Amino acid sequence: AQSVTQLGSHVSVSEGALVLLRCNYSSSVPPYLFWYVQYPNQGLQLLLKYTSAATLVKGINGFEAEFKKSETSFHLTKPSAHMSDAAEYFCAVSLAFSGGYNKLIFGAGTRLAVHP
Amino acid sequence: DAGVTQSPTHLIKTRGQHVTLRCSPISGHKSVSWYQQVLGQGPQFIFQYYEKEERGRGNFPDRFSARQFPNYSSELNVNALLLGDSALYLCASSLAGLDNGQGAFEQFFGPGTRLTVL
């Protein structure tokens, strides 16, 4: 069964430092993977998605993620953290079933704190 | 263009009551999904509707039900509320319903409805 594991429920970085948020997935079929960001008291905003076109995916706000099949990973990175990046980040895999519907399976989330 | 809208923003109910949450998808989107996000956890899939029919259901009790209207808006109903139903309820819309088996289409999320059960 498909599942997503996010390593580290809390990550703290200094402003300007590298951001690395880890995500590992398990999937019996080629996965479609997503990173979403959630700011306090808001819904989810898509940062980027992997749909098998390219293993290195660039998203909004300077974020990117690399799909590594051999490691079953889809880690999210940003070269230089900004204070506005402080939020909760969710990795998700899209699972399609027969009958034509699909759902997103989310990890537990990683809260990113950015300090001056 | 307007994104996914949900109402109400916040709601406080007591145990045993019933609640109805509403969602309007992005114009042109025919599929709506509902997710429950308990504090400190990732969202959990509840339902997906497409063309007014339920296409999928997550592991939630029968107290949870939903429907989709001809204009593709949707309602989520929860009966006999429990304290554990307190959560952020998220609605997501997408263009497609019937999938080619790839599951690659994007879901756009609304701001959510914060339900508190006392």
Side-chain angles (χ1 to χ4, degrees):
Chain A
Q2 273 78 349
S3 66
V4 175
T5 302
Q6 291 184 242
L7 301 176
S9 59
H10 291 81
V11 170
S12 181
V13 300
S14 299
E15 191 173 20
L18 171 71
V19 175
L20 171 60
L21 304 182
R22 300 177 187 273
C23 173
N24 288 87
Y25 69 91
S26 66
S27 174
S28 58
V29 298
Y32 295 87
L33 297 158
F34 305 81
W35 275 100
Y36 284 87
V37 61
Q38 186 175 39
Y39 297 101
N41 300 313
Q42 294 188 25
L44 301 175
Q45 180 183 8
L46 182 69
L47 278 176
L48 49 81
K49 59 184 177 184
Y50 167 75
T51 58
S52 76
T55 57
L56 183 62
V57 181
K58 294 187 182 300
I60 62 172
N61 301 339
F63 285 94
E64 63 182 36
E66 186 174 7
F67 172 71
K68 293 186 176 180
K69 184 177 179 180
S70 61
E71 298 177 8
T72 61
S73 68
F74 190 57
H75 301 332
L76 181 71
T77 61
K78 182 174 181 179
S80 177
H82 191 272
M83 297 295 287
S84 62
D85 294 327
E88 186 100 28
Y89 292 80
F90 292 96
C91 181
V93 61
S94 179
L95 175 62
F97 292 101
S98 61
Y101 77 98
N102 78 100
K103 66 178 182 181
L104 290 172
I105 300 172
F106 287 88
T110 296
R111 183 167 298 279
L112 175 66
V114 182
H115 51 86
Chain B
D1 288 339
V4 177
T5 59
Q6 293 186 244
S7 63
T9 305
H10 295 86
L11 203 53
I12 298 175
K13 293 285 188 178
T14 57
R15 282 177 296 174
Q17 285 189 313
H18 162 90
V19 68
T20 297
L21 311 180
R22 295 177 175 83
C23 171
S24 292
I26 292 172
S27 178
H29 285 193
K30 297 183 177 181
S31 179
V32 169
S33 297
W34 288 95
Y35 292 81
Q36 180 196 63
Q37 185 181 15
V38 174
L39 193 64
Q41 298 181 18
Q44 298 288 319
F45 172 76
I46 310 175
F47 289 110
Q48 191 208 46
Y49 275 77
Y50 174 67
E51 292 286 12
K52 302 181 290 296
E53 292 189 14
E54 181 183 307
R55 300 292 177 170
R57 183 187 184 108
N59 188 25
F60 281 81
D62 292 343
R63 299 185 296 107
F64 287 77
S65 64
R67 55 180 175 168
Q68 187 177 33
F69 300 98
N71 66 354
Y72 303 110
S73 67
S74 178
E75 284 183 354
L76 175 69
N77 296 283
V78 187
N79 293 323
L81 285 167
L82 303 174
L83 295 179
D85 295 330
S86 295
L88 180 67
Y89 288 85
L90 296 164
C91 172
S93 76
S94 58
L95 274 171
L98 289 176
D99 187 22
N100 62 359
Q102 301 302 309
F105 45 88
E106 179 180 341
Q107 296 192 4
F108 295 81
F109 283 82
T113 293
R114 174 75 62 187
L115 172 65
T116 301
V117 182
L118 302 177

